[in-house]
Amino acid sequence: MSYTGKVVAVGVEPMQTIDDADDYITDDPGVKQADFVIVPITKGTPSVTKAGFFALDDMVVKSSTNAYAIIGKTTEWAPGSDNGTLLSQQTAYATYVGLKRIMAPFPESDTPVAVFARELMQRINGDHAIETLLLRMDADMASWRRWRRVRDMCGHNKALEIALVLSDDCSVDQWKAEPVELVIISSAMFIPNDTNHPVLRRKDQVIVRELMSIGAAVAVQHDGDASKHMSYLRYLSRPEDRDTDTLWSEAYHDVLQVPLQPLMDHLESQTYATFEADLAKYDAYETAISKAIVDCSSEAPLVMVAGAGRGPLVARVLSAAVRVRRRVQVVALEKNPGAMVELQRRNKHEWHDAVELVFGDMRSYEPPALADILVSELLGSFGDNELAPECMDAAVQRFLQPTGVCIPRRYAAYLAPLSSSVLYTRASQYSADHGLETPYVVNLHAAQRLSASERMWEFDHSVRLDEPMQFERGRTVEFVMDAPAVVHGFAGYFDTQLYADVRLSIRPEDHTAGMHSWFPMYFPLKIPMNVEKGDKISVSMWRRCSASRVWYEWVAESPAAASIVHNVNGH
């Protein structure tokens, strides 16, 4: 047996008395299917000899033989007992025999939270430091509130994870944003199906699958042979049929990425290939280009693709022209020398030299003729985070006829408050200095969005300005919380009008179907904020610019607290 901590890890928690963990693992036929077992470290509440060690007869885990397959349970907290000393002794012994995961019961409400948090921190940071301490708790709101207080007192320590005990009619909305490592299901929650095999009710299946999808293992509480229950849970955890794009997207669940800088760095071929696989995006671009060609009064419109990459938009321009039966002149401008080789290949073998290729930077290139239609895909996850405004405005002023059309016409940035202990922990570990003051691109998964998104600002290239565009922006918006939660930061989105009625969006409210080119942004809060349902949070954000770079600064206020101003001067 091996406990991997992945979605497919399925184990058992025996409800009958276990005298010896090694004998149980070796001799019980119902355990052979288990990846792990959950057993007490000691029998009941043992005493410690005057010499300071447990008696052998008090132990359930008596050796390190099967330590890799055991989650060891500490004793329940008892009013009036020396709980801290017993917890210390049990965790020290568990560390000695090599248990990688120890489970401690979350105490009842009459135990002061501060006392429990202090004991946990002593175990995590003591001489016998614990790698992972699972706190066992019920999936209810009262437990979540107490967990929130303990987590805050422990400084969001990454060693603390959750073993969530499900029950009938439980809700896991808040828990999906928490570090749930293990889900425990009583055999009483199973019902027999038509072939008399144990299955979960539909609503419980949904809950378990949701928690499996964020990486939780699952254990069955049973007082006998749980092999059929475990087989069913393995069946439930099997990947559903997914296309390649979906599997690719899932591989980036909650993975923090620093936003691309295509103007500063030359993208690799594989990066281009990933973006080019997004047919929904390019289908929309082709539709927008087709409409723009039809509306253009020029007999043979000059279409310039600024930032052509390996040519996906160039191909769509040519396809759009065929689609509307119009002749076009096409210019492809690209600064990446590697991509220029691919453009030459495609122009020779696919486009029959119908495209004029130009090697240059759109920020400095001076075209010999002005375009009727300018097309670019410089948009980032927040719309303007890849310097689209600066580049597109310069291109509009220098490349485009006074009556010409820019695709995209306009784009707007949006924010929404977010709860995700996973993202917060990963951001705090990303950089010792400024990990929690850095925006990231991330495929949000183990997260809870707490309110609808609000528009922050917009950039409009539909009209030529008499004066240079102002690239700095700033706005304060207010959110009303949908539920009690911890705000760990803000999700950033964008939408865009390509042309006429053709739009693209990554906002959850109106996300373009089938599109996966852009993941949302994540703007962390250095100190998370506790909020209740109906609370109002205001967020101020600024887009700042210098001669050489662009950055964002942000600050949040709740009824009870205010954050620092994050990322001042773009450090």
Side-chain angles (χ1 to χ4, degrees):
M1 294 182 299
S2 63
Y3 177 43
T4 63
K6 295 181 180 179
V7 172
V8 296
V10 178
V12 63
E13 181 181 26
M15 301 308 294
Q16 68 270 31
T17 300
I18 304 297
D19 292 322
D20 187 306
D22 292 332
D23 290 345
Y24 171 66
I25 291 171
T26 303
D27 300 336
D28 193 307
V31 182
K32 296 190 183 300
Q33 287 194 32
D35 296 314
F36 61 94
V37 298
I38 305 171
V39 295
I41 297 170
T42 60
K43 301 173 185 176
T45 305
S47 58
V48 178
T49 66
K50 292 181 180 179
F53 55 84
F54 291 117
L56 178 62
D57 289 343
D58 285 333
M59 309 309 294
V60 175
V61 180
K62 298 181 178 181
S63 76
S64 59
T65 303
N66 292 290
Y68 64 92
I70 294 174
I71 298 177
K73 292 190 294 185
T74 64
T75 304
E76 297 277 349
W77 281 55
S81 299
D82 188 359
N83 296 292
T85 299
L86 185 56
L87 180 63
S88 174
Q89 294 163 348
Q90 289 179 327
T91 54
Y93 174 77
T95 303
Y96 162 74
V97 296
L99 299 190
K100 299 300 183 183
R101 286 168 170 77
I102 300 169
M103 181 187 297
F106 210 57
E108 299 297 328
S109 57
D110 56 358
T111 300
V113 168
V115 173
F116 184 56
R118 175 179 173 273
E119 292 294 342
L120 293 178
M121 290 305 292
Q122 286 184 322
R123 304 292 78 76
I124 292 170
N125 297 323
D127 295 335
H128 304 282
I130 299 171
E131 186 175 316
T132 300
L133 184 57
L134 292 164
L135 300 184
R136 182 190 186 108
M137 59 192 76
D138 294 330
D140 56 36
M141 185 57 69
S143 295
W144 178 81
R145 290 184 183 279
R146 285 172 60 76
W147 153 251
R148 182 173 68 174
R149 293 169 61 197
V150 167
R151 177 193 50 204
D152 289 348
M153 292 178 182
C154 294
H156 292 254
N157 195 292
K158 66 178 182 178
L160 292 180
E161 295 181 338
I162 295 170
L164 198 62
V165 182
L166 300 187
S167 59
D168 291 330
D169 301 321
C170 66
S171 174
V172 297
D173 288 344
Q174 272 77 18
W175 296 107
K176 287 185 290 186
E178 305 294 351
V180 178
E181 175 76 2
L182 177 63
V183 176
I184 301 173
I185 309 171
S186 169
S187 58
M189 291 183 64
F190 290 77
I191 58 173
N193 64 6
D194 294 340
T195 59
N196 207 34
H197 282 76
V199 297
L200 291 171
R201 295 176 176 85
R202 179 74 61 181
K203 62 181 181 63
D204 295 327
Q205 291 179 30
V206 172
I207 289 173
V208 171
R209 276 186 165 164
E210 284 181 341
L211 295 171
M212 284 178 169
S213 75
I214 63 172
V218 186
V220 181
Q221 287 180 322
H222 204 285
D223 59 1
D225 185 351
S227 56
K228 290 183 178 180
H229 299 74
M230 288 188 285
S231 294
Y232 169 74
L233 290 172
R234 291 189 195 284
Y235 167 80
L236 202 64
S237 70
R238 78 197 189 287
E240 298 177 347
D241 291 337
R242 295 174 174 88
D243 58 31
T244 302
D245 292 340
T246 301
L247 291 172
W248 174 86
S249 176
E250 289 179 353
Y252 287 92
H253 279 170
D254 302 318
V255 176
L256 300 181
Q257 303 174 77
V258 175
L260 292 173
Q261 298 294 333
L263 294 179
M264 182 183 300
D265 306 314
H266 294 315
L267 300 183
E268 297 179 353
S269 182
Q270 185 56 48
T271 304
Y272 284 123
T274 298
F275 294 142
E276 291 165 12
D278 193 342
L279 297 182
K281 176 180 76 173
Y282 290 109
D283 286 348
Y285 262 97
E286 182 175 329
T287 300
I289 295 166
S290 299
K291 290 174 178 280
I293 293 174
V294 169
D295 292 343
C296 184
S297 59
S298 175
E299 182 177 338
L302 174 59
V303 183
M304 177 178 286
V305 179
R310 302 196 315 174
L313 282 180
V314 176
R316 293 301 184 129
V317 170
L318 296 171
S319 177
V322 172
R323 180 174 169 181
V324 298
R325 300 180 181 180
R326 290 282 294 275
R327 186 168 63 88
V328 295
Q329 308 167 72
V330 184
V331 175
L333 175 64
E334 177 54 47
K335 72 175 183 62
N336 186 335
M340 280 298 295
V341 175
E342 178 67 12
L343 286 172
Q344 292 176 76
R345 186 195 67 78
R346 296 191 71 179
N347 198 28
K348 179 178 181 180
H349 297 290
E350 295 179 36
W351 305 328
H352 308 294
D353 293 321
V355 178
E356 179 184 348
L357 303 181
V358 178
F359 180 62
D361 192 317
M362 69 174 69
R363 293 168 292 184
S364 57
Y365 173 64
E366 296 294 341
L370 297 181
D372 298 292
I373 301 171
L374 174 67
V375 185
S376 181
E377 54 177 326
L378 274 177
L379 299 174
S381 294
F382 205 45
D384 55 71
N385 59 291
E386 294 183 9
L387 304 188
E390 289 79 2
C391 295
M392 295 298 294
D393 182 62
V396 166
Q397 300 300 326
R398 297 200 323 277
F399 301 169
L400 201 57
Q401 297 273 11
T403 58
V405 168
C406 178
I407 299 174
R409 303 279 275 173
R410 57 177 62 86
Y411 40 92
Y414 295 79
L415 276 186
L418 188 75
S419 180
S420 175
S421 64
V422 172
L423 295 182
Y424 176 80
T425 300
R426 291 178 180 176
S428 66
Q429 297 168 352
Y430 196 92
S431 166
D433 296 326
H434 304 300
L436 290 169
E437 294 187 77
T438 300
Y440 303 93
V441 172
V442 58
N443 188 7
L444 301 173
H445 185 61
Q448 180 185 15
R449 199 166 60 110
L450 304 174
S451 184
S453 62
E454 293 285 345
R455 178 182 288 212
M456 299 305 294
W457 50 69
E458 179 182 85
F459 287 93
D460 190 336
H461 302 294
S462 63
V463 294
R464 188 188 294 266
L465 302 176
D466 295 332
E467 300 178 356
M469 178 179 284
Q470 298 301 309
F471 300 119
E472 291 201 334
R473 294 285 193 273
R475 191 181 178 209
T476 299
V477 295
E478 188 173 79
F479 299 98
V480 179
M481 298 298 100
D482 291 338
V486 179
V487 181
H488 292 103
F490 300 89
Y493 309 99
F494 83 95
D495 67 8
T496 179
Q497 178 198 18
L498 294 180
Y499 183 77
D501 60 346
V502 184
R503 306 185 67 87
L504 293 174
S505 174
I506 67 166
R507 297 171 62 225
E509 293 89 344
D510 57 1
H511 196 291
T512 301
M515 187 175 69
H516 59 76
S517 279
W518 295 280
F519 295 148
M521 296 279 283
Y522 170 50
F523 297 90
L525 284 179
K526 203 163 189 178
I527 300 176
M529 291 181 167
N530 293 324
V531 295
E532 297 297 328
K533 182 177 181 179
D535 281 354
K536 294 180 179 179
I537 282 189
S538 65
V539 183
S540 299
M541 178 173 279
W542 301 268
R543 185 184 195 266
R544 301 289 310 282
C545 308
S546 72
S548 60
R549 60 198 179 98
V550 171
W551 69 95
Y552 301 95
E553 300 173 2
W554 63 97
V555 63
E557 297 179 82
S558 74
S563 76
I564 65 167
V565 180
H566 293 70
N567 199 33
V568 176
N569 293 327
H571 45 237

